[in-house]
């Protein structure tokens, strides 16, 4: 679980860097984290259907070369640990919940 939390923190850090390069908002605390997760969800939702599935997570992982940085975890672990209703995809609410628990 420690590695999974490292994965989530790394994703937040990457999104924060991307957001600041794009002139993103400078909110503090939970508002900032919520904004980062929302932007991350938009980026990961390749087909724009409002859900993240295994193929989208795999595509982003390969596209951004994240598999080299994640050690023992993959983006698919988001589905494994945070797909609360076990329907095979993540909603924005599930992603908010997942990242609320990190750090």
């Amino acid at each position: 679980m420690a590695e999974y939390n490292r994965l989530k923190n790394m994703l937040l850090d990457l999104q924060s860097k991307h957001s600041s390069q794009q002139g993103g908002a400078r909110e503090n605390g939970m508002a900032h984290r919520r904004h980062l997760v929302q932007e991350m969800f938009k980026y990961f939702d390749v087909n724009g259907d409002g859900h993240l599935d295994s193929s989208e997570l795999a595509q982003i992982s390969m596209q951004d070369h994240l598999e080299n940085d994640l050690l023992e975890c993959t983006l698919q672990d988001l589905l494994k640990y945070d797909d609360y209703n076990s329907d095979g995809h993540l909603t924005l609410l599930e992603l908010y919940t997942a990242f609320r628990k990190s750090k």
Side-chain angles (χ1 to χ4, degrees):
M1 212 47 171
E3 286 295 316
Y4 181 58
N5 283 326
R6 283 184 60 201
L7 163 69
K8 292 191 292 186
N9 291 329
M10 184 197 75
L11 290 172
L12 285 174
D13 290 343
L14 286 172
Q15 188 61 44
S16 183
K17 288 176 187 173
H18 180 349
S19 184
S20 66
Q21 289 174 356
Q22 301 296 319
R26 299 262 186 211
E27 303 101 347
N28 290 321
M30 288 304 294
H32 178 65
R33 181 178 293 234
R34 190 170 178 87
H35 172 76
L36 291 177
V37 171
Q38 184 175 5
E39 292 301 311
M40 185 186 316
F41 186 87
K42 287 180 193 175
Y43 181 68
F44 287 179
D45 188 14
V46 175
N47 65 9
D49 69 353
H51 299 95
L52 304 181
D53 62 31
S54 182
S55 64
E56 287 172 310
L57 296 174
Q59 180 179 344
I60 293 298
S61 185
M62 288 181 7
Q63 173 183 310
D64 291 353
H65 307 288
L66 296 177
E67 66 276 0
N68 298 329
D69 297 330
L70 302 182
L71 302 171
E72 298 163 16
C73 290
T74 67
L75 290 182
Q76 282 76 14
D77 285 332
L78 290 167
L79 284 170
K80 179 179 177 181
Y81 294 115
D82 295 305
D83 180 12
Y84 299 111
N85 61 1
S86 301
D87 62 358
H89 61 264
L90 293 172
T91 63
L92 181 56
L93 181 59
E94 287 172 319
L95 204 62
Y96 282 146
T97 302
F99 282 90
R100 187 180 68 218
K101 297 187 302 186
S102 67
K103 270 197 178 175

